[in-house]
Amino acid sequence: MLTKLFPNLDVQDFWMATYETFYMTLLALAGTFIIGILLGLLLYLTAKDGIWQNKFINMIVAAIVNIFRAIPFIILILLLFPFTDFLIGTIRGPNAALPALIIGAAPFYGRLVEIALKEVDKGVVEAAKAMGAKTKTIIFRVLLPESMPALISGITVTAISLIGYTAMAGVIGAGGLGDYAYFYGFQRREFDVVFVCTVFIVVIVFIFQFIGDYISNRLDKR
Amino acid sequence: MISIEGLSKIFTSNKRQITAVDDLTLEIKEGDIFGVIGYSGAGKSTFVRLLNRLEEPSFGRIVIDEQEITSLNSNQLRLARQEIGMIFQHFNLLWSRTVKDNIAFPLEIAGVPKAERDKRVRELIDLVGLTERENAYPSQLSGGQKQRVGIARALANNPKVLLCDEATSALDPETTNSILDLLVDINQKLGLTIILITHEMHVIRKICKQVAVMENGRIVEQGDVLDVFLRPKQQVTKKFVEQVMGTNDEDEGVNHLINTYDRGKLIRLHFIGETTNQALISEVAKKYEIDINILQGKITQTQAGAYGTLFVQIDGEAGEIDNAIDFITKTSVEVEVIRDAN
Ligand SMILES: Nc1ncnc2c1ncn2[C@@H]1O[C@H](COP(=O)(O)OP(=O)(O)O)[C@@H](O)[C@H]1O
Ligand SMILES: [Mg+2]
């Protein structure tokens, strides 16, 4: 059916590309989630009147976050080539895209995490302190659970950016739907391929958005 | 039980220094319900937060149950805090947890095993009257129910002291009363010492035995609730007493009474506690050949009994009137004759 409508589409390559897009997005998302939460917590806890109030560390982390957020993603990939080569052993394929994807998305998500944590009621944190909670308990049993809906909607927004990033990474050979659309569709002037890839990317975005909204709503008991 | 010496807290904000609590010295007895009243900004919240070191004291010493709070390191302080319950104006419950799990939280912090935790949570839910609401989320509860969860949570680890910062200020009058009743109930059942911060005198009147009046970070007046009601010395205290008793427009009223009721004696009765005298008027009326006519008065109930004044006209034979007055004088009610028999 797909082959009839879109004569130039190689179904097997196309599914492979879709799989790679999912692969890159999900792995990068996992990495972004963890690193973003770490960055966000660090920003929140070292801020003024925070539990680990520390002007110096706060400034350093904020600077790193701001710098990496300011670099356009396509340039970030190029910039990270040596690092990626060292880490993964290659600069091609989905795995090679992961460091750039995570480093590109984590600072952005870190800011969203910081905002989410700031929204947690100060009174609740104080109540936990008054009960004699350790900082670890405050982080894992108060701050993160209480901000979870916002953390999930934040990661949803980030996931959608990440899907965009995977497509960009594709253009320089990372694999996935972007790669497929560019090398097989655009460069060979086979625009039906570009079209199908676009549709699938949009569908993937919708799927992520739907799942994210669903989880976030389910968790929100306010 | 709680002994506070020279406690001060100085905040520095924008290079300005604010002395929120100023050289405060205080003793609170075990099992007491100790009220601290003052207007907004008087330093009440800061004071109560100093007691569990949510604010670090600038100077001074706090001893709770023979443990010097001010000299504990942060680990010891955490353990000490598990034995000091606290409830808040805005309840401060975790919205992501059910009633049951909110109450279990301090038990988790204290490392109580799961089975024991469940048992204790069930007891507490019964104690505060939230049976069948244990699986609700805070957002599904009324303000009064939320505060009940707050109280249950504060009591989970069997604290010796309960700190209440404006615990009823966000509640309507009826709910306030039910929460105050619960606090008295807990105080009597568990022998818990309660320190209660408020800006509302009727809260003090209803449940406190001792009261301290705060102004500008200092305690300006302190004592038995009845004494403070009866003989407020400071201007602030008089204002607070008026919150409950109304303004003192008595003098004008007295002249009016003297002119209107020209027979017999007019006397003013001061009720200052002791519930045994509640049937005083009927007792006197039965015992002596006199008529008692109640003219005007304000009586309010405190933890230590009735407090207030009552103007009555006593008419009858002069000797019998004097006997009646003698009888009243022997009770705890003070008698003041404002006009002798004509
Ligand atoms: N963290 C703080 N930093 C600076 N000033 C504070 C802080 N907390 C309280 N204050 C000041 O201390 C005074 C007493 O405040 P507070 O204890 O909240 O009074 P109350 O509870 O009686 O209304 C106020 O003047 C307030 O502005
Ligand atoms: Mg206050």
Side-chain angles (χ1 to χ4, degrees), chain A residues 66-78:
Chain A
N66 289 342
I67 289 169
F68 278 96
R69 277 205 311 153
I71 302 174
F73 182 68
I74 195 80
I75 296 181
L76 187 69
I77 303 177
L78 304 178

Side-chain angles (χ1 to χ4, degrees), chain B residues 81-93:
Chain B
R81 279 176 176 171
Q82 292 173 9
E83 302 196 330
I84 303 174
M86 191 169 197
I87 57 175
F88 306 86
Q89 178 173 6
H90 298 295
F91 324 122
N92 297 352
L93 305 177

Side-chain angles (χ1 to χ4, degrees), chain B residues 9-129:
Chain B
K9 176 68 186 181
I10 300 164
F11 289 111
T12 312
S13 61
N14 306 330
K15 304 233 160 70
R16 255 190 58 224
Q17 293 204 327
I18 301 167
T19 309
V21 170
D22 191 1
D23 192 20
L24 212 132
T25 297
L26 195 62
E27 289 283 334
I28 296 170
K29 284 201 286 290
E30 183 159 2
D32 209 347
I33 303 185
F34 191 97
V36 177
I37 190 165
Y39 288 110
S40 175
K44 310 180 294 293
S45 296
T46 307
F47 164 64
V48 80
R49 290 157 52 80
L50 285 167
L51 294 182
N52 59 1
R53 276 173 61 191
L54 283 177
E55 299 288 357
E56 281 299 330
S58 306
F59 308 102
R61 216 170 88 99
I62 301 165
V63 178
I64 298 181
D65 200 27
E66 285 163 26
Q67 188 173 36
E68 189 174 339
I69 298 293
T70 31
S71 68
L72 301 178
N73 67 28
S74 64
N75 230 5
Q76 293 165 326
L77 178 62
R78 274 198 315 99
L79 296 177
R81 279 176 176 171
Q82 292 173 9
E83 302 196 330
I84 303 174
M86 191 169 197
I87 57 175
F88 306 86
Q89 178 173 6
H90 298 295
F91 324 122
N92 297 352
L93 305 177
L94 283 87
W95 61 254
S96 59
R97 286 179 172 232
T98 59
V99 166
K100 211 169 62 197
D101 292 345
N102 262 291
I103 300 173
F105 188 38
L107 298 165
E108 289 171 25
I109 290 173
V112 177
K114 174 95 172 83
E116 214 172 303
R117 225 154 59 201
D118 290 347
K119 183 164 155 283
R120 179 81 183 125
V121 168
R122 242 172 291 130
E123 285 168 14
L124 288 160
I125 285 178
D126 289 342
L127 177 71
V128 299

